[in-house]
Amino acid sequence: MSTAPGRVYLLAPRGSADAAARGLAAAGYDPLVLADSEALIDRLLVEPPAFAVVWESFPRAGLEAVLEVLRHHFRARDCAVVLVRAGATRRLAEDWVHGVVDAPADADSLLRVFAECAEAGVKPGGDIPRILVVDDEENMVLLGSHIVSSMGMIPLVAFDGPQAVERAQRFRPDLVLLDINMPGMDGFAVIHALKADPSTNLIPIIVFSARHHEEDKVRALSLGADDYVTKPFSISELGARLSRLLQRTRAGVSASSTTGLPGSFSAEQVLVDRVRHRLPLAVLYLDADHFKAFNDRYGFARGDSVIRQVADLVLDAVRELGNPDDFVSHIGGDDFVVISTPDRAVPVADEILGRFGRIIPFYYDPADRARGGIETEDRKGQKTTFPLMTLSIAIITNEGREFSHPGEVADVAAQLKKYAKSQPGSLWVKDQRGADGDPKEGEP
């Protein structure tokens, strides 16, 4: 369901948004005033809006909940969020909302913010890619913007690291063109910040830098950059790289390109289709436990090898025991999703766990493998042992229940994964609450 171009949701204490709603209606918009966060969540599933306007004077617990929903909900992807600031004391979540106006908000001030959001490419059903160009040199920003504009895309600009992170969080561009040499917060720090934030960690990044040293390129790529171009560069080459990466990303390929598997967007679309058509459905959410300790101990190169290995063993298990049209996705980091059918879910999960348990220990050094884990020191200097990596799999099916939208599947998966990760060793946990009320466990 596409976003309604004129629909505006206004979440406000009773009576606070009535005048603004009348003014927006007179300007041709279709406003709907909502009194609580539950109503907004319900409406998102019915009709995603073009804009959501949230009053900061809304009760704090409800306000924080609704901002989290608008930030993460899969149905709010094209929604521009505007915060009506109550005063100088709270400043809640202004680092990522798309616009801010002061209370009392009138229609004219909201319309101005709506226009700014549209100019930045935040608009319903926006198919035109938005590219964030980041460099502390104005001429390089102008050159990057010219390249982006000449390709029919929308350029956004930032002249330092903090501004780049802020604009990426606020406008969530389709791609970032990033310089490394910037005073203060350099490009490496920007990559780290963007990849650490769930709202920006899937945005592809092309570094264009005057640094030619291999270690700089390796560092940028290990932090999560997708490509590295050295200055001076060919305009046609940069344009071709930009276009290729966008095409790959929009096709759903993993933003890190570590595995080459489809990413979260494609997985979401497959899930939407199967839920909509009420097809037999089983979703396996896979999470490698203790991967961070492994990556910290052995470095990104070996860590990437493990991720590629997990991808391959998942693919092999699905090819051997799954259906021809089963779907495998690398949704980021050490997380994978398999979309299958209920009759194949447990055999596939058993095969994945068996392969994982047999193969992954060999990625450790012999001493660590013999010890059964990695010994390291925490921040206080105390020795800590992290076990060898294990794998937790949450299995959700529609055998005993109907799902009306993918968000319900994700909610159940989050609960099952939390339970699975609390148990020792590798195992799968299958949701049985639609049948006998209890989760079912399995292990290799």
Side-chain angles (χ1 to χ4, degrees), residues 395-439:
I395 304 175
I396 302 92
T397 77
N398 60 359
E399 292 173 288
R401 70 169 81 195
E402 283 288 339
F403 294 108
S404 61
H405 61 88
E408 294 176 345
V409 181
D411 288 342
V412 176
Q415 299 171 34
L416 288 179
K417 282 176 62 178
K418 182 177 181 181
Y419 173 80
K421 292 174 76 67
S422 71
Q423 307 301 308
S426 294
L427 79 163
W428 55 258
V429 179
K430 184 179 180 183
D431 178 43
Q432 296 287 310
R433 284 172 293 179
D436 58 20
D438 297 315

Side-chain angles (χ1 to χ4, degrees), residues 17-329:
D18 293 346
R22 289 192 295 270
L24 291 175
Y29 284 86
D30 186 11
L32 179 63
V33 180
L34 301 168
D36 57 71
S37 56
E38 289 79 7
L40 174 65
I41 295 170
D42 291 342
R43 288 298 309 178
L44 279 175
L45 298 174
V46 175
E47 183 183 33
F51 300 95
V53 184
V54 183
W55 267 248
E56 199 176 24
S57 54
F58 194 76
R60 187 176 185 87
L63 175 61
E64 291 177 345
V66 78
L67 289 175
E68 285 298 310
V69 168
L70 289 170
R71 186 177 187 182
H72 297 101
H73 200 288
F74 74 103
R75 298 302 294 274
R77 185 186 308 277
D78 294 323
C79 170
V81 181
V82 178
L83 183 68
V84 178
R85 187 165 51 202
T89 56
R90 295 181 66 179
R91 296 294 191 272
L92 180 63
E94 289 185 27
D95 59 338
W96 67 266
V97 296
H98 301 106
V100 178
V101 299
D102 290 321
D106 56 33
D108 289 340
S109 60
L110 291 176
L111 290 170
R112 283 194 295 271
V113 173
F114 292 177
E116 292 172 0
C117 290
E119 183 179 353
V122 183
K123 54 187 176 182
D127 293 328
I128 302 177
R130 294 166 292 151
I131 312 300
L132 178 60
V133 183
V134 185
D135 201 308
D136 62 322
E137 296 182 13
E138 185 177 357
N139 63 330
M140 293 305 301
V141 171
L142 291 174
L143 176 59
S145 298
H146 171 72
I147 295 171
V148 169
S149 298
S150 68
M151 298 176 68
M153 304 176 188
I154 299 172
L156 307 174
V157 301
F159 293 94
D160 57 43
Q163 187 181 42
V165 173
E166 183 272 333
R167 291 187 73 79
Q169 291 172 333
R170 180 167 299 191
F171 295 113
R172 303 179 197 176
D174 295 276
L175 185 143
V176 176
L177 285 174
L178 175 66
D179 183 34
I180 291 296
N181 291 322
M182 294 186 293
M185 186 180 192
D186 65 11
F188 296 122
V190 171
I191 298 172
H192 182 271
L194 294 181
K195 295 303 177 182
D197 187 334
S199 71
T200 58
N201 64 3
L202 292 178
I203 299 174
I205 299 172
I206 296 178
V207 172
F208 62 116
S209 173
R211 297 190 183 188
H212 292 255
H213 297 296
E214 183 177 356
E215 55 265 31
D216 292 321
K217 181 177 181 179
V218 170
R219 183 182 177 190
L221 295 175
S222 68
L223 286 170
D226 297 86
D227 204 349
Y228 194 103
V229 180
T230 56
K231 301 176 183 176
F233 51 81
S234 161
I235 293 178
S236 59
E237 178 190 359
L238 180 60
R241 288 173 180 260
L242 189 156
S243 180
R244 177 179 57 83
L245 184 54
L246 275 178
Q247 289 173 1
R248 190 178 71 195
T249 303
R250 288 198 160 194
V253 176
S254 170
S256 71
S257 70
T258 302
T259 64
L261 287 174
S264 58
F265 178 77
S266 290
E268 180 181 292
Q269 297 307 302
V270 172
L271 192 53
V272 165
D273 182 72
R274 299 194 183 188
V275 168
R276 180 184 297 125
H277 291 93
R278 298 185 178 180
L279 299 173
L281 176 68
V283 186
L284 288 70
Y285 287 84
L286 294 76
D287 190 352
D289 309 314
H290 314 301
F291 175 75
K292 184 179 184 304
F294 179 94
N295 216 36
D296 290 344
R297 167 71 172 82
Y298 293 116
F300 78 93
R302 204 188 301 195
D304 281 355
S305 296
V306 168
I307 294 301
R308 286 191 291 269
Q309 178 66 74
V310 174
D312 286 340
L313 67 86
V314 172
L315 284 169
D316 288 342
V318 170
R319 290 188 187 113
E320 183 175 331
L321 297 172
N323 304 288
D325 61 346
D326 283 355
F327 185 84
V328 180
S329 171

